[in-house]
Amino acid sequence: MIPRLDAAGLLGLDNLLPLAQSQGGSFWLPPPQSTTAGAVDDAFYFLLAISTFFFVLIVVLMAVFVVVYRRRPGVEAPGNASHNNLLEFTWTAIPVGIVIVIFYMGFTGYMDMRIAPRDAYEIHVTGQKWKWTFTYPNGFVSDELHVPVERPVRLVMSSEDVIHSLFIPAFRVKMDVVPGRYTETWFHAREPGTYGLYCSEYCGTSHSDMLTDVVVHKPGEFDKWLRDAAEHMKNLSPAEAGKALVRRNGCLACHTTDGTAKIGPTFKGLYGQTATFSDGSSAVVDENLIRETILEPAAKVRMGYQPIMPTFKGRLKDDDITKIIEYLKTLK
């Protein structure tokens, strides 16, 4: 357990930061909702108190020196200035002591935030332009992060395209998600509720839309939710399951279902129409063309659009693609 350091009390500034009440949040930070968030808040408020104290001290002394030691007509400045060993030792020792405290707070807090408990529940996270997906141990995939409140959660993360960064402000959790490797982070939520999850690394046109929620379930409710969610997908019709797959895999970040154009062509009326491609060729949008576009999106690029769609090869099974096609057929 990291000791909680009272920055204001340490500096004798009891009235400087009444806002540093970590249980309820403050003007600067939202309420800390994970077991490691307190270490982040302590370091932040300590640095804020130090910076405020020395800013005020320097500005006040500067103003005093400007008034008291201003140049006056007929008054010459004395030329007997010399150094003071005690003063020089003091202004060296105090910053060194402050830096040691900052290092201790930062290092111990960082180590606690980086080393997940052995009994942590593991969830795989995938970042792609512009969507988060979360895969649970039973194979169920969700576009929201659902976690239990009674145990720590370890996130193993990877990216399908560019660098993203998973950021949960309420938990003080932020970690880059890098293509070609795995990164990880962990947290243990304090209270049930719904919290925001964002991408904090600019990743392209719809970066600001790459957000979702973290749903922290009450004790005993997470396992029931996971079981019911997995069963629900099995009971959906092919078209309904396809709709869920389209939403879950981030297709609506680039496409629409109402006829308006975004980065990619709309899904409305797509099936059965004749599409023209950038090489001048054309073809009817049928099952085979949709399947090819999902697996090899760069093979045939629609006229007027950029070849930016990622491949879903290895991520969507043939059965999933069939369900998506059935859903697209309903969007007439």
Side-chain angles (χ1 to χ4, degrees), residues 36-82:
T36 56
V40 178
D41 290 8
D42 287 341
F44 172 81
Y45 289 122
F46 180 69
L47 288 171
L48 180 62
I50 289 287
S51 302
T52 302
F53 173 78
F54 281 104
F55 172 78
V56 173
L57 176 65
I58 291 171
V59 170
V60 169
L61 289 179
M62 181 176 63
V64 170
F65 275 54
V66 166
V67 173
V68 174
Y69 297 104
R70 70 186 185 279
R71 184 173 182 178
R72 299 181 179 88
V75 178
E76 297 292 331
N80 60 347
S82 62

Side-chain angles (χ1 to χ4, degrees), residues 138-155:
N138 68 346
F140 178 72
V141 180
S142 171
D143 57 356
E144 290 182 335
L145 177 58
H146 290 254
V147 300
V149 73
E150 64 265 27
R151 63 184 298 189
V153 175
R154 177 173 177 257
L155 304 179

Side-chain angles (χ1 to χ4, degrees), residues 11-51:
L11 293 177
L13 305 175
D14 295 342
N15 298 318
L16 177 61
L17 292 174
L19 46 79
Q21 302 299 317
S22 61
Q23 290 300 323
S26 70
F27 173 80
W28 308 101
L29 296 170
Q33 295 294 345
S34 72
T35 55
T36 56
V40 178
D41 290 8
D42 287 341
F44 172 81
Y45 289 122
F46 180 69
L47 288 171
L48 180 62
I50 289 287
S51 302

Side-chain angles (χ1 to χ4, degrees), residues 261-273:
K262 292 179 73 174
I263 300 173
T266 182
F267 286 155
K268 185 176 182 180
L270 177 66
Y271 183 83
Q273 70 175 218

Side-chain angles (χ1 to χ4, degrees), residues 88-136:
E88 293 179 359
F89 175 81
T90 301
W91 72 35
T92 300
I94 291 177
V96 168
I98 293 174
V99 168
I100 291 174
V101 173
I102 293 174
F103 174 80
Y104 173 79
M105 296 174 70
F107 180 76
T108 54
Y110 175 79
M111 293 303 294
D112 275 358
M113 296 175 68
R114 292 297 300 133
I115 303 175
R118 293 185 177 182
D119 63 339
Y121 184 83
E122 188 171 293
I123 299 174
H124 286 260
V125 182
T126 302
Q128 70 177 77
K129 295 187 292 187
W130 289 275
K131 183 73 174 178
W132 297 105
T133 53
F134 307 94
T135 305
Y136 300 85

